[in-house]
Structure formats: structure tokens, C-alpha cells
Amino acid sequence: MWKPDRQVKKPIYEQIADHLEQRISYGEFPPGSLLPSERKLAEQLGVNRSTVILAFAELRAMGIIESRTGSGTRVSTSKWEATPKHTPNWSRYAEGGSFLPNLPFMRKIRESLAQQPSLIDMASGELAADLAPIDEITALMGEHRYTSYLGYDNPQGYTPLREALVSHLERQRGIRTTESSILITSGSQQSLYLITQCLLSPGDAVAIEDPSYCYSLPLFQSAGLRLFRLPVDQYGARSEDIRSLYKKHRIKMVFLNPNFQNPTGSVPTAERRNQLLAAASELGLPIVEDDPFSLTAYENSPPPPLKSMDPLGSILYIGSFSKIAASGLRIGWMVAPNAIVERLADARQQMDFGLSVIPQQVAAQFLNSAYFDPHLNRLRMQLQFKRDLLIEALRKELPGLITFSVPQGGLHLWCKLVPEVHDGKLLDEAIRKGIVFVPGSVYGSESGYVRFTFARARAEEIAPGVAKFAEALRSLLNTAQ
Amino acid sequence: MWKPDRQVKKPIYEQIADHLEQRISYGEFPPGSLLPSERKLAEQLGVNRSTVILAFAELRAMGIIESRTGSGTRVSTSKWEATPKHTPNWSRYAEGGSFLPNLPFMRKIRESLAQQPSLIDMASGELAADLAPIDEITALMGEHRYTSYLGYDNPQGYTPLREALVSHLERQRGIRTTESSILITSGSQQSLYLITQCLLSPGDAVAIEDPSYCYSLPLFQSAGLRLFRLPVDQYGARSEDIRSLYKKHRIKMVFLNPNFQNPTGSVPTAERRNQLLAAASELGLPIVEDDPFSLTAYENSPPPPLKSMDPLGSILYIGSFSKIAASGLRIGWMVAPNAIVERLADARQQMDFGLSVIPQQVAAQFLNSAYFDPHLNRLRMQLQFKRDLLIEALRKELPGLITFSVPQGGLHLWCKLVPEVHDGKLLDEAIRKGIVFVPGSVYGSESGYVRFTFARARAEEIAPGVAKFAEALRSLLNTAQ
Ligand SMILES: Cc1ncc(COP(=O)(O)O)c(C=O)c1O
Ligand SMILES: Cc1ncc(COP(=O)(O)O)c(C=O)c1O
């Protein structure tokens, strides 16, 4: 990212004006298009807003841009009138298709993190650098020669990785399958995308947990699906609710994240699991089981997946390396009946021609290596340690103001705020104080909940992060009075 | 992939029956679902069809499967009746969504290649192992420590790779841009997918070259677009045709692969380029410029892209490593106005959460390394050498039966067959003789054309491949008489 150079003589505002003029001349901001706002540019470039105002004034004087109150600053069209007149109406194109943008809260969180690297990140659902097996992966990459042919991959994914997963799934998740029923995807995310795009049709009704990660994904709406809620209690979703949604709305699929559910941390009892499976097979209703967190179980052995009790093939099982190794690997997998795997592999081929072979080789080696189990053990201990740091800090900073149940696995703590506060305002205030979290409404819950991720921040940031959050909450409560 | 073990005592057909029973019990073939055909299974397992027939008979006797003439072999439902009755109607789900399957010819080619490794591959549009920079990439992976944080990536792609591309594009393609206007995608394919899904709406009219690679992609139809043809002559598509399609059908976008077009090999003259740009800017019509082949120019310097003359930002430029380095890296890029890059990055985030960081690091290092230019020089020489081998063989084996113009870059030779033959029958016959090519109709052309790729087969396979093709053609011509 270009930044002005404070060492040279040329004034900062002139550097910025030159830089913008250049980008305009490259076609990055075509005639008629909107420039980023003064505030946003100032944040991106790390300068005062007044400096950007000076730069804009310079460009305006040259006739390169024009500002109209209320509609922002645009690249001038008159300037180019002599020669060609028209540029594509890009803002219209950007509204094309049925694909909805990400939720405003999620975009705000991402932008704030990009612009303020000092923010304490209790929002991103991923592992801190020191929890990821970076050294192990580096060692594996140095040990092995990747001389195999780097051509287009098998549409279902790299065969040695699928083979490694067959034994991993049997050993660690009790799931028996063969490599021909596995599809490697770009994380769980691509599995969810493929399922919603290619197995369901616009207008189909589906059930998703409330609250759940699924609610944060506009991809269900983008696919034109009608969403119905399955309330989540301490043990997750209930089969009665599935049955009644099926009766009322003929739901065609159920999306569950049974183990250490995101965001609540719930885990079903054995009885609940059996009831869910019985409902699925009696109704002939597929359940998508999204299972990224099980292997993080802090103390007891990981809870079993529904898929381990599914001889009828009613479960589409999704796993991922994101929460147990590194999200930047982008390795996930789906285990599904053969016909479904073939259909999705064929469709995915057209979307991106398959995944890069290199991270798949790395993932296969890591799974087969002696590093894998010790890594998991270390990860579990460290997650539990960080969970405890978070809980301790919350109890200290916000006694009586916040309630939660203590999760036994996963990366998140789901909290209810005792006083009534607007979660959007709380987020803004928290960002000002230097910490981000995810407002509960992102997951479809009523107002008044927050999700803290304790995996991403460094251990020493957790207490200060909670202190900042407490400041933000208190300052909102004070102004409200 | 499981294969029967010929060393053990148990008869092959029993091994196959056990293997299938196991996969059925895992839920891979749920009750009621169709098993692969006897022929297909025999090919996959490398056994005679009669062996599969025996295995099926065994399973039938056990009540595990049932066959009905004309409707194939299915997993029995009655067997399970005691306990749960229903399994999801998976074949119905597999027909969900608007995403069309790949073309039958392309599926046949892929399956044949998977099942007969000895086939000579003159169909896959990619580089042979010895043309790809495998050693260079292995060396780079050994040299560098990939210790950086492996978290979710920047939605536009790994920043150092975008920075490396800024200088690569300026130096080798004459395109000036900044890293904030670049989106890294999974090859060109994902760029095309994002454009058709997120910038256009069902019912929109677009123009694509005839013949072209675009015709082989059901993704245009999957997005509900209306396709209009731009005939390709020796110099590619013509601006007059664009203007008249715009008048008649209000086309909203034009898809071109100007340089060394796939499949024809055409390159526009300087005049044609100017006319295309003039039409785009006068009509305010975006052109998607897919440019994977330019840097393969065998002798002269690479032809310039339209994007290098596009200050108004009418061109969405797409590049890729697939045809100049390795398709298995899955690294491509789009250069586009800022608003478009941001929109597509946001949508892509929901589809797959971005690309793996590892191949992006490798690609950035390769671009910045001293290996890159020598690799390109070697690649160009070897492609020209293989093109000449192909032409020599065709002239020798099929004098008077085939015509073509000689391409100056790219991976393909586009041939017209002089005698009339059905291209589907020719493909079947060629596969029987041991060689695959792509029938011209895949690219939207009338019957009677074939595309040979000379990059993928080993040099010593090219003459034998053409001999097999000639046999196939002659045997069809003989039976036709
Ligand atoms: C429940 C759940 N499913 C899926 C995902 C997507 O993760 P990935 O695509 O990185 O595997 C997440 C990430 O937060 C998640 O929490
Ligand atoms: C013209 C053209 N565009 C795009 C592609 C897709 O290639 P990739 O996604 O590997 O970059 C191909 C591959 O054959 C092609 O020929």
C-alpha cells in the first residue's frame, strides 16, 4: 500500500494529489467514478483529514475531480470530453448479480482491523500466530521436494490428501469413508457455498440454527433460500423443531454446527444426537454437519460427529484445518454420498478450476506427520489457557454486567450483556477504545449479546482488551443515563 | 483409489463385492442410489466387465443391491426397511441450483484421461511437467522460510504478490496500475466466474468470440446470460460486430481473448486494437480482456494488451500463471477499476474466504526472482519446438486432409478437417486408438474442426499421437464409404 514519504521535501498533500492523479490516469478511478471519502483516505494513508482536503483542493483546481455536497468526490468527466466521452457505468455493474455484499458490521470490523493494526482483535475467528503450526509446516516444506507435476488437479482434490483424510477421519472422528467420497474445498466456506448454490434452488426452505455462524453469511440469501430458525439451547438445536419446520415449510435441508457451536459453544448430548439422526432419516432430510471445532476439545475427548452414526448417508459432513491449524492454508473437506461429491466437484471446476496443489500437499504431509497429534495437544492447552484469561478478565472488569456459560472447546465465548445497550453503538465505541468484538446480532440473535474470540489475540492482550471493552460499555451506559 | 489385490487368494470378484458392500455401509451409496455402471466400474478397477458382473451377482444374492433392466443397479431399499425408511432423494438434490454441468465432451475427455493413463493428451490446455518451472519453485520453497502468519488473507489477495504484479505488469505487459486495483484469483477461471456472477444479471446480453474458450464454459449459461457471437477471423473479433450487437441487443459486456486466441491463435493488428478500444469507450461498454498466452510469444515480443492503452478504465484485464508457469498453482489476477475489485473481493470472500497464502507467496517469489525471465525464454523455445513437431507430423500423416494457420504463440493448433466427419465419433475412435484432442464444436464452431494442444504431451509423443489420430480419421472415413 502506497504511503506518503515523510522524508522528502515535497509536501504530503502534494504527494497525495500526485498519487491520486496517477491512479486516475491508470483507469483505477475512471471518469465519473467516486473517490474514497476524505475520512477513509486519511485513515488509509495515515494522515490528517485536513491533508486530504488540501490534496482534493489541488486536484479540483486542476479540473481532475469535482465534489458536490452530499454526493462525494468524483473524477471529472468534462476533463475528458474532447476525446472519448463514455466510460462504463461501473457502479451499476457493481450492483449486478444476486450476490449480496457482506454484512456492514463484518465490513466495518475488517476495515477497522486493516486501518488500525494496534486494535486488539477479539473478533476474527481464527488462531493467533503462536497457536498455528507454522514451524511444523515450515519444517515439512523444507524436508520434502515438491517436484510432482503441478498441473490441473483432480476435480475432487489432491488424491494423497483425500487418502490421508480417510485415515484421519476414521482415527480421530470415527467416520468411515473412502477417498472417492471426499471433496477438498477452500475451507468449510467453499463447502457451504457449493451446497447452497448447487444442491438447492431459489425459493427452497432451509433451517439454520439461531444464533449461528450461518446468519453471518449473506450467501444463503444470495442463493434465494428461505431461512427458518432452529433455536439453540445449551445442547444445540432440537429435533422437535426440525420436525415442525418440516411439517410447516417443507424444509429441504438443515444446517447444523453441533460441536462447540459458533457462537454459543453448545454440544449436544448423546440423546439429542440420536434424535437429530432419527428425524433426518425419518423425514429423508439431509443435515449439513459443519464440524470445524471438535478437535479443539480442551479436556475430554472430542464429541463424536453425527456423521459417525450415518450408514444411510443423510449427513453432508464438513471439516476444516482453519480452526485447528491455519486458516490461511484454505483447506477444508466434505464427506458426502458419491453422487453429491461428483456433482459439486464438477461445478467447482467451473468456478475456480480446483485448489492449488501446494497447500494440499502441505496439508497431507502435516496430517501424516508425527507433528499432528502433539500440535493438537498443545493447541488445546493453549486455548483453554486463553479462555481462562478471558473469563478471569470479564469477571474482574464487568462483575454483574455480563453472563455466559463456559465453553469446553472452540475459539469463542458467547456473552449476554445485562444492561440494555445498542450493539452497533457499543462496537463503534469499542473500536475507539482499541478493541473489536462481533455484535451478537450478526449471528441472528436478539440485541444484547457479544461474541469474544480468545484464540486470535495474544495472551497478554486479553486482559487489556477486556478493560477497553469495559470502558466502552461504561461510557455508553453513562451517556445513556 | 482402491484396486483389487491380485496377490491374495480371495477371488477378485469377491474383493470387489466386499469393497462395494463396505462403501454402501459407509453411506457413500445410500439406499436407493445408483451404483456406477458395470462398464465404468470395470474401467475404474482395471478388471474385466465379467468380473464386475460376478461381484454384482453376489451383492444381489445378499439383497444389498437390485438391478432393473434399463435403469441400472441401485442399492436396495427393502434391506433397510426394518429400521429407518428414508434417505434424502440425492439425485434430486444433485439437480438443484442453476449451475449447469460441464460439457459432455469435456467430461468424457477428463474421464478417459483418468482411466487410461497411457492416452496421449493433446486435449488439456496446459504445460507438460518439463515445461513448468518445477525445479525453480522447489528451489524457492527450500530457500525461504514461510514463517509469516497463516491467517485469513487480505480479501484482494496477498499484498506482496499484488506488489510484485504491479512491476511485472508494467515491465512485461505495459500496464500501469497499483496493488489496490489488483484482485488475485484462482486462475483466470475464477475471474471469469466472478465477473459473470457478480457484475451481470440473468437476462443480460453479452458478446463472446466464436469460436472461443468461453463457449466451452457453461458458466455463462449458468449465470442466465444471453450469448451473442463475435466471429473471429485471422485477427480476432471486429469492432463493427461489437457495434452492431450493441445496437441490436444492448450487450452489456464483451469477452475477448485477443492475443493468441484459444483456440484459433489469432492476434489483432494495431489498427484492430485501436478500433476495439474506440468502440468500447464510445459505447461505454466494458471489455473483459483474458490474456493468459501473450508471454508465450515464440519469436517476436509479446503483443500488447488492450489494457495498456486504457486510461478510461473500460477494460477488465485478466492474467494467469497457468499457461506460463503451472496451472496447479492456481494463481491468476484481475486488474480493474477500484469499485469493481472491491465488489468482487467482497463476494469472493463469501465463496471461499480467499486463496491459500502459500501458493501466493511462491508466486510472488518466483515473479521477483532471477528465475522468471530465463524460464520464459526456455518455455517459448520449447513451445515453438513442439508446435513444429506437431505441424511436421500433421503434414506427413494427413496431407490434404487437414488445414491450419501457424500460430506464433500459445499452446494450441486449430485445424479444419477437409473431409466431413462427425467430431463426436472421431473423438471416440481417437480415444480407442490412444489419443485425445478437443472437438471444435466445444468452442462453438461448426462441425469439422479440432483443437490440438502441443504443450501437454511429451515431445516424443507428438508424432505417435498424430499417427493414432490419422488412423482414427482414416478408419472413420473408410466405414463411411
Ligand atoms: C461454524 C463455521 N463454519 C465455517 C467457517 C468457515 O471457516 P473456513 O472456511 O476457514 O474453514 C467458520 C469460520 O469462522 C465457522 O465458524
Ligand atoms: C482463454 C482461457 N482463459 C482462461 C482459462 C482458464 O485458465 P486458468 O484458470 O488456469 O488461468 C483458459 C484455460 O484453458 C483459457 O484458455
Side-chain angles (χ1 to χ4, degrees):
Chain A
M1 192 73 179
W2 181 86
K3 300 257 171 186
D5 183 348
R6 290 173 193 279
Q7 309 306 313
V8 299
K9 256 208 173 146
K10 197 169 179 185
I12 305 283
Y13 81 91
E14 277 186 25
Q15 293 182 40
I16 295 175
D18 286 355
H19 170 73
L20 288 174
E21 187 186 356
Q22 206 172 42
R23 290 175 64 186
I24 290 168
S25 78
Y26 294 168
E28 294 184 28
F29 297 103
S33 69
L34 207 56
L35 287 181
S37 70
E38 289 159 356
R39 186 191 51 74
K40 199 167 164 187
L41 266 179
E43 274 177 14
Q44 281 175 358
L45 301 174
V47 300
N48 287 328
R49 194 168 148 190
S50 56
T51 312
V52 177
I53 291 178
L54 280 180
F56 275 16
E58 179 105 345
L59 292 170
R60 213 176 293 114
M62 292 161 76
I64 292 175
I65 64 174
E66 14 183 62
S67 311
R68 229 166 293 150
T69 17
S71 77
T73 302
R74 290 182 185 273
V75 177
S76 150
T77 46
S78 47
K79 174 94 179 154
W80 308 84
E81 201 148 35
T83 35
K85 284 198 269 317
H86 297 97
T87 51
N89 188 340
W90 287 118
S91 55
R92 188 79 68 70
Y93 283 97
E95 287 160 12
S98 57
F99 217 84
L100 299 174
N102 269 304
L103 298 180
F105 278 153
M106 300 312 282
R107 295 162 64 101
K108 176 181 284 178
I109 290 168
R110 193 196 303 141
E111 279 172 19
S112 307
L113 284 167
Q115 275 150 30
Q116 296 182 50
S118 67
L119 268 187
I120 295 180
D121 183 356
M122 300 179 79
S124 306
E126 57 179 344
L127 304 178
D130 64 339
L131 300 193
I134 305 283
D135 290 343
E136 291 89 328
I137 286 177
T138 308
L140 288 169
M141 285 176 73
E143 277 167 28
H144 294 262
R145 271 184 65 85
Y146 289 80
T147 39
S148 63
Y149 177 51
L150 276 179
Y152 288 114
D153 191 20
N154 181 301
Q156 284 179 222
Y158 187 58
T159 306
L161 175 57
R162 286 183 287 133
E163 287 165 352
L165 281 167
V166 167
S167 61
H168 163 74
L169 287 168
E170 173 151 13
R171 196 167 59 92
Q172 305 209 303
R173 306 302 297 118
I175 294 172
R176 305 191 64 192
T177 187
T178 63
E179 76 287 349
S180 50
S181 292
I182 296 179
L183 176 69
I184 309 295
T185 57
S186 175
S188 326
Q189 191 70 23
Q190 193 177 37
S191 286
L192 292 173
Y193 178 65
L194 288 168
I195 291 169
T196 51
Q197 282 286 318
C198 303
L199 303 182
L200 296 163
S201 299
D204 280 353
V206 302
I208 64 182
E209 295 161 318
D210 171 21
S212 75
Y213 175 71
C214 289
Y215 266 101
S216 70
L217 301 177
L219 66 86
F220 289 87
Q221 280 98 339
S222 301
L225 305 175
R226 288 181 298 134
L227 302 183
F228 294 97
R229 298 172 179 245
L230 292 171
V232 167
D233 67 19
Q234 183 183 1
Y235 306 113
R238 299 179 320 156
S239 60
E240 303 88 278
D241 295 322
I242 293 178
R243 286 175 200 273
S244 86
L245 285 183
Y246 182 79
K247 248 195 220 148
K248 267 199 248 169
H249 303 289
R250 290 279 140 184
I251 50 170
K252 298 196 75 174
M253 210 175 267
V254 178
F255 290 81
L256 301 180
N257 165 209
N259 294 330
F260 309 126
Q261 200 246 11
N262 178 3
T264 64
S266 67
V267 179
T269 58
E271 194 192 356
R272 194 82 44 115
R273 256 179 254 280
N274 289 332
Q275 291 166 343
L276 291 170
L277 280 163
S281 62
E282 278 170 46
L283 306 175
L285 185 64
I287 294 182
V288 176
E289 180 178 32
D290 186 12
D291 189 34
F293 303 114
S294 290
L295 293 181
T296 62
Y298 310 139
E299 281 185 293
N300 302 317
S301 52
L306 300 174
K307 185 70 185 170
S308 65
M309 311 170 253
D310 175 43
L312 295 178
S314 309
I315 308 287
L316 305 180
Y317 178 82
I318 302 176
S320 173
F321 262 168
S322 289
K323 317 296 175 182
I324 56 169
S327 42
L329 274 178
R330 304 310 304 129
I331 298 290
W333 46 88
M334 190 189 317
V335 183
N338 217 260
I340 297 301
V341 164
E342 285 189 0
R343 159 73 172 136
L344 298 183
D346 183 79
R348 198 261 305 271
Q349 197 78 350
Q350 295 178 55
M351 297 174 178
D352 59 19
F353 247 128
L355 301 187
S356 180
V357 175
I358 295 178
Q360 296 188 84
Q361 290 174 335
V362 171
Q365 282 170 5
F366 182 51
L367 266 180
N368 290 333
S369 74
Y371 296 127
F372 189 72
D373 288 348
H375 160 71
L376 272 188
N377 289 336
R378 182 175 68 95
L379 173 67
R380 289 179 183 139
M381 274 173 39
Q382 290 184 313
L383 283 175
Q384 186 177 23
F385 174 69
K386 290 173 97 171
R387 176 202 66 179
D388 292 342
L389 286 180
L390 174 60
I391 289 177
E392 190 187 308
L394 287 171
R395 292 204 169 122
K396 175 165 159 259
E397 298 281 348
L398 294 164
L401 288 179
I402 203 160
T403 65
F404 47 81
S405 37
V406 177
Q408 301 305 314
L411 283 54
H412 311 295
L413 187 75
W414 180 241
C415 301
K416 184 168 170 43
L417 298 173
V418 176
E420 259 183 50
V421 278
H422 183 280
D423 60 2
K425 282 196 190 136
L426 182 56
L427 178 62
D428 285 340
E429 190 60 30
I431 290 174
R432 266 192 292 275
K433 302 283 190 224
I435 181 226
V436 272
F437 64 90
V438 185
S441 57
V442 162
Y443 303 107
S445 80
E446 53 201 83
S447 184
Y449 286 85
V450 303
R451 189 194 81 171
F452 291 111
T453 298
F454 45 83
R456 178 68 179 86
R458 280 175 285 121
E460 60 274 24
E461 290 176 319
I462 290 180
V466 171
K468 288 172 199 288
F469 176 83
E471 270 181 59
L473 180 61
R474 291 223 159 76
S475 95
L476 269 198
L477 294 178
N478 288 339
T479 53
Q481 278 159 7
Chain B
M1 190 74 179
W2 180 86
K3 301 260 170 185
D5 183 346
R6 291 172 192 280
Q7 310 304 314
V8 300
K9 257 208 175 147
K10 193 171 186 185
I12 304 283
Y13 80 91
E14 277 187 24
Q15 293 182 39
I16 295 175
D18 288 356
H19 169 73
L20 287 173
E21 187 187 355
Q22 206 174 42
R23 290 176 63 186
I24 289 168
S25 78
Y26 294 169
E28 294 184 27
F29 296 104
S33 69
L34 206 58
L35 286 180
S37 70
E38 290 159 355
R39 188 190 51 72
K40 199 167 164 186
L41 266 178
E43 274 177 13
Q44 280 175 359
L45 302 174
V47 300
N48 287 327
R49 191 165 151 194
S50 56
T51 313
V52 177
I53 291 177
L54 280 178
F56 275 16
E58 180 106 345
L59 292 171
R60 213 177 291 116
M62 293 161 76
I64 292 174
I65 63 173
E66 15 185 60
S67 310
R68 228 166 294 153
T69 16
S71 77
T73 301
R74 290 180 185 275
V75 178
S76 153
T77 46
S78 47
K79 174 92 178 160
W80 309 86
E81 202 148 34
T83 36
K85 283 198 270 322
H86 296 99
T87 50
N89 188 341
W90 287 119
S91 55
R92 187 80 67 73
Y93 283 97
E95 287 160 14
S98 56
F99 216 83
L100 299 174
N102 270 305
L103 298 181
F105 278 151
M106 299 314 283
R107 294 161 67 101
K108 176 179 285 176
I109 291 169
R110 194 197 301 143
E111 280 172 17
S112 308
L113 284 167
Q115 275 150 31
Q116 296 183 48
S118 67
L119 268 186
I120 295 180
D121 183 356
M122 300 177 78
S124 307
E126 58 178 344
L127 303 179
D130 63 341
L131 300 193
I134 306 285
D135 290 341
E136 291 89 327
I137 286 176
T138 309
L140 288 169
M141 285 176 73
E143 278 167 27
H144 294 262
R145 271 184 66 85
Y146 289 80
T147 39
S148 62
Y149 177 53
L150 276 179
Y152 288 114
D153 192 18
N154 181 300
Q156 285 180 220
Y158 186 58
T159 307
L161 175 57
R162 288 184 285 133
E163 285 165 353
L165 280 167
V166 167
S167 62
H168 163 74
L169 287 168
E170 173 152 12
R171 197 167 57 92
Q172 304 209 304
R173 305 303 295 119
I175 294 172
R176 306 190 65 190
T177 186
T178 64
E179 76 287 348
S180 50
S181 292
I182 296 179
L183 176 69
I184 308 297
T185 58
S186 174
S188 324
Q189 192 71 23
Q190 192 176 39
S191 287
L192 292 173
Y193 178 65
L194 288 169
I195 291 169
T196 51
Q197 282 286 318
C198 304
L199 303 183
L200 296 164
S201 300
D204 281 353
V206 302
I208 64 181
E209 295 161 318
D210 171 21
S212 74
Y213 175 73
C214 288
Y215 265 100
S216 68
L217 301 178
L219 65 86
F220 288 87
Q221 279 98 341
S222 300
L225 304 177
R226 289 181 297 135
L227 302 184
F228 294 96
R229 298 173 177 242
L230 291 171
V232 167
D233 66 20
Q234 182 183 3
Y235 307 113
R238 298 179 319 157
S239 60
E240 302 88 277
D241 295 323
I242 293 178
R243 286 175 199 271
S244 86
L245 285 182
Y246 182 79
K247 249 196 219 148
K248 268 200 247 168
H249 304 289
R250 289 279 140 186
I251 49 171
K252 297 195 76 173
M253 209 176 267
V254 177
F255 290 80
L256 301 179
N257 166 209
N259 295 330
F260 309 126
Q261 201 247 10
N262 178 3
T264 65
S266 67
V267 179
T269 58
E271 195 192 352
R272 210 79 30 126
R273 257 180 252 281
N274 289 333
Q275 290 167 343
L276 292 170
L277 282 163
S281 62
E282 277 169 46
L283 305 174
L285 185 64
I287 294 181
V288 175
E289 179 178 33
D290 186 11
D291 188 35
F293 302 114
S294 290
L295 293 180
T296 63
Y298 310 139
E299 282 185 292
N300 302 318
S301 53
L306 299 175
K307 185 69 184 171
S308 64
M309 310 170 254
D310 176 42
L312 295 178
S314 309
I315 308 288
L316 304 179
Y317 178 83
I318 301 175
S320 172
F321 262 167
S322 289
K323 316 297 174 179
I324 56 169
S327 41
L329 274 178
R330 305 309 304 128
I331 298 290
W333 47 89
M334 190 190 314
V335 182
N338 217 262
I340 296 302
V341 165
E342 285 188 0
R343 159 73 171 136
L344 298 182
D346 184 78
R348 197 264 303 274
Q349 196 79 348
Q350 293 178 53
M351 298 175 178
D352 59 18
F353 248 130
L355 301 188
S356 178
V357 175
I358 295 180
Q360 297 188 83
Q361 289 174 336
V362 171
Q365 281 170 5
F366 183 51
L367 267 180
N368 289 333
S369 76
Y371 295 127
F372 190 70
D373 289 349
H375 161 71
L376 272 188
N377 289 334
R378 183 174 68 93
L379 173 66
R380 288 179 185 141
M381 273 174 39
Q382 291 184 313
L383 283 174
Q384 186 178 23
F385 173 69
K386 290 173 97 172
R387 176 202 65 180
D388 291 342
L389 286 179
L390 173 60
I391 289 177
E392 189 185 309
L394 287 171
R395 292 205 170 122
K396 175 165 160 263
E397 298 281 348
L398 293 164
L401 288 178
I402 204 161
T403 64
F404 47 80
S405 38
V406 177
Q408 301 306 314
L411 284 54
H412 311 296
L413 187 74
W414 180 241
C415 300
K416 183 166 173 42
L417 299 171
V418 176
E420 260 183 48
V421 280
H422 184 279
D423 61 3
K425 285 197 187 135
L426 183 56
L427 178 62
D428 285 340
E429 191 58 31
I431 291 174
R432 267 192 291 275
K433 301 285 189 221
I435 181 229
V436 274
F437 64 91
V438 185
S441 57
V442 162
Y443 304 106
S445 81
E446 51 201 87
S447 183
Y449 287 83
V450 303
R451 191 195 79 170
F452 290 112
T453 298
F454 44 82
R456 177 70 179 84
R458 280 175 285 120
E460 60 275 22
E461 291 177 318
I462 290 178
V466 171
K468 287 171 199 289
F469 176 82
E471 270 180 59
L473 180 61
R474 289 224 160 75
S475 95
L476 271 198
L477 293 178
N478 288 337
T479 55
Q481 278 158 5

